[in-house]
Amino acid sequence: MSAADLIAILPMLVLTIAAVVATVLAAFRTSHAFNAALAVSAFVLALLSLVPASKAAPRAVTALISVDAHSLLFTGLLLGAAIAVTLLSHGYNEGREGGLAEFYIVLLIATLGAVVLAASAHFAAFFLGLEILGVSLYVLIAYFLGERANEASVKYLILAGIASSFLVFGMALVYAELGTMEFSEMAGRAGESGAGPLLFAGLAMITVAAGFKLAAAPFHMWAPDVYEGAPAPVGAFLAAVSKGAVAALLLRFFFQTGSLALEPLFIVFGAIAVASMFAGNILALFQTSVKRTLAYSSIAHVGYLLIAFLAGGRAGMVAAGYYLAAYFISIIGAFGAVTLLSGKDREIDLLDDYRGLAWRRPWLAGAFTAMLLSLAGMPLTAGFLGKFFVASAGVGEALWLLVIALAVNSAIAIYYYLRIIIALFSPAYGEAPGPLPRLPIAGTVALGALTLLLVFLGVYPGPLLALLEEAASAFL
């Protein structure tokens, strides 16, 4: 491996070294604040290392990793999301018992797995990144032991095990048909030999595995239970970093291999998109738990995102990237509001817990409202432009059924987002609620920054669109 290769994978090296250093330091007595600061510093350093890495790109580091505009952009998004989650976690973890140093170590390792996924160009790297991320998440979900957390972790373990089984079998079938595991060679090999039954079966199994990882319908099953049982900041990480990394990987895989040009696979993806939109939104209507509502909402957002996948081309790539960036900010911010309000004894999760919040914590209720409006796709938010670009890409490719489904489901979703917003601004009834926990500085700064970014991207999308155009050029 040359020096240029090492520079290209510098963000991964920074995260790896930081995890090792944090593990060694955990053997000594370190404070909670020190461990959180170490993790944030590592993420910031990895983010800064994207500058020298970009000068070495585009570059294939062995056959496994491809460092190009696509992987660099998504690595930046994933690291930014990890910084926000770490800052939110600091206040949430304050005062809790147990080894908090390990929490941040596992967070570093999970982010490393996500970054590997974003740069994967080979089935081996795909599987390796997925397992690094998945195993770390089992730990994070059950980190603060409790009946619900343990149940959530076991359910996630079962779901991940099923997904890995489908994935490995699917990879084996694709390799048996094409004789390669490199994404860049698959399109050429399939063109030479034609798409045989083994290739179709393999791609179908990989699609099922991806469905489990993205919690798309009908593979969502226990996903809301996992989100509800996991600590609130871990829920944010699951909804944003975990799904975002898999989506970045799938963008590369399906665009480089040209798999979505196969009509049966296109139809299957279309059906998954429609099912995810309707299942996620309709089931969210019946929830009284804010975390479960956000979980079902995230299932619906996967359906919206898949429309951009199916549209394909430059417009589809750009739309998918913008939608993911907007979704990252909105969902982390929404879970962030839950995190800031949750004390060490109980998470504030029920809808009734939020009644009257606007009169007790006005700016926090305002930030939460902005996040919910963005998830609903309201104007002047990043979420609005994300949905607009996705719908434009769908219209451009005449995907009328999917675009109509998007419009109908966006209308359905407004109901349950507004229901939370109305609760925020309604007077509390019954006995006077107890005092709210003191807002931690780090988490407050993170939520404030996310809110500003949400509005900025909602009114000035130019800089991000330019980066996404450059990222799309890596494949087109």
Side-chain angles (χ1 to χ4, degrees):
M1 185 176 287
S2 66
D5 290 340
L6 292 175
I7 292 172
I9 60 169
L10 209 47
M12 298 180 200
L13 294 177
V14 169
L15 293 177
T16 305
I17 293 169
V20 172
V21 170
T23 304
V24 172
L25 291 178
F28 303 94
R29 188 177 180 82
T30 54
S31 70
H32 169 217
F34 174 81
N35 294 315
L38 181 65
V40 171
S41 303
F43 290 135
V44 172
L45 193 58
L47 202 56
L48 294 175
S49 71
L50 289 174
V51 177
S54 66
K55 298 187 186 307
R59 189 172 196 85
V61 182
T62 71
L64 303 181
I65 297 293
S66 177
V67 179
D68 51 28
H70 174 82
S71 65
L72 291 171
L73 175 63
F74 279 96
T75 297
L77 289 175
L78 294 169
L79 290 170
I83 291 171
V85 171
T86 308
L87 292 174
L88 290 166
S89 300
H90 175 259
Y92 181 89
N93 293 342
E94 191 75 45
R96 292 178 187 269
E97 296 179 355
L100 292 174
E102 289 81 357
F103 179 90
Y104 298 103
I105 295 169
V106 180
L107 202 58
L108 281 165
I109 296 171
T111 308
L112 172 64
V115 170
V116 169
L117 272 178
S120 295
H122 191 282
F123 275 156
F126 181 176
F127 187 73
L128 183 65
L130 206 59
E131 290 306 303
I132 292 173
L133 177 61
V135 172
S136 304
L137 285 173
Y138 308 150
V139 179
L140 287 174
I141 291 168
Y143 198 83
F144 299 110
L145 293 176
E147 189 177 335
R148 284 200 315 169
N150 288 344
E151 179 188 335
S153 184
V154 170
K155 285 181 173 176
Y156 189 79
L157 173 67
I158 294 171
L159 288 175
I162 295 170
S164 296
S165 304
F166 274 98
L167 182 64
V168 172
F169 199 7
M171 287 175 173
L173 292 177
V174 172
Y175 180 72
E177 178 84 20
L178 301 179
T180 181
M181 290 196 283
E182 294 181 41
F183 300 168
S184 58
E185 291 188 7
M186 288 181 184
R189 298 279 181 97
E192 291 170 6
S193 60
L198 285 182
L199 180 60
F200 276 116
L203 290 174
M205 288 192 168
I206 292 172
T207 301
V208 170
F212 276 110
K213 288 297 180 184
L214 290 172
F219 312 107
H220 60 289
M221 294 185 292
W222 287 334
D225 297 340
V226 173
Y227 281 82
E228 187 181 20
V234 176
F237 192 88
L238 269 170
V241 179
S242 176
K243 282 193 176 187
V246 174
L249 179 279
L250 292 179
L251 272 172
R252 180 188 296 280
F253 177 72
F254 285 117
F255 277 80
Q256 280 197 325
T257 61
S259 302
L260 289 178
L262 301 172
E263 190 175 352
L265 200 62
F266 187 91
I267 293 171
V268 168
F269 258 79
I272 291 174
V274 173
S276 298
M277 285 187 270
F278 278 102
N281 283 318
I282 291 174
L283 291 172
L285 295 175
F286 303 101
Q287 305 306 316
T288 55
S289 156
V290 172
K291 285 169 70 177
R292 287 186 75 85
T293 303
L294 293 175
Y296 279 113
S297 158
S298 74
I299 294 168
H301 282 279
V302 170
Y304 304 145
L305 180 65
L306 290 181
I307 297 175
F309 272 65
L310 292 167
R314 186 175 291 275
M317 285 284 292
V318 171
Y322 202 93
Y323 196 86
L324 275 173
Y327 171 74
F328 273 25
I329 298 168
S330 309
I331 200 71
I332 292 177
F335 271 103
V338 177
T339 303
L340 291 184
L341 287 169
S342 299
K344 65 176 183 178
D345 299 323
R346 183 175 87 89
E347 285 198 343
I348 305 298
D349 186 32
L350 296 176
L351 191 58
D352 286 341
D353 293 334
Y354 289 84
R355 291 191 183 281
L357 181 67
W359 315 114
R360 304 169 71 197
R361 291 276 195 273
W363 90 262
L364 181 58
F368 195 10
T369 300
M371 300 303 166
L372 294 172
L373 290 175
S374 180
L375 288 169
M378 291 292 113
L380 299 180
T381 64
F384 170 75
L385 288 181
K387 272 191 182 173
F388 175 78
F389 293 137
V390 167
S392 298
V395 169
E397 295 300 316
L399 303 176
W400 300 112
L401 179 63
L402 294 174
V403 174
I404 291 170
L406 184 152
V408 170
N409 279 279
S410 296
I412 296 172
I414 288 173
Y415 173 79
Y416 60 79
Y417 289 127
L418 279 181
R419 192 175 55 169
I420 300 176
I421 294 171
I422 290 171
L424 292 175
F425 289 87
S426 298
Y429 54 70
E431 293 183 10
L436 292 172
R438 183 176 59 84
L439 293 182
I441 295 173
T444 304
V445 170
L447 187 58
L450 288 170
T451 307
L452 292 176
L453 197 55
L454 184 86
V455 177
F456 176 77
L457 290 179
V459 297
Y460 188 51
L464 181 56
L465 284 176
L467 290 173
L468 290 166
E469 289 279 355
E470 187 180 346
S473 65
F475 306 134
L476 302 172

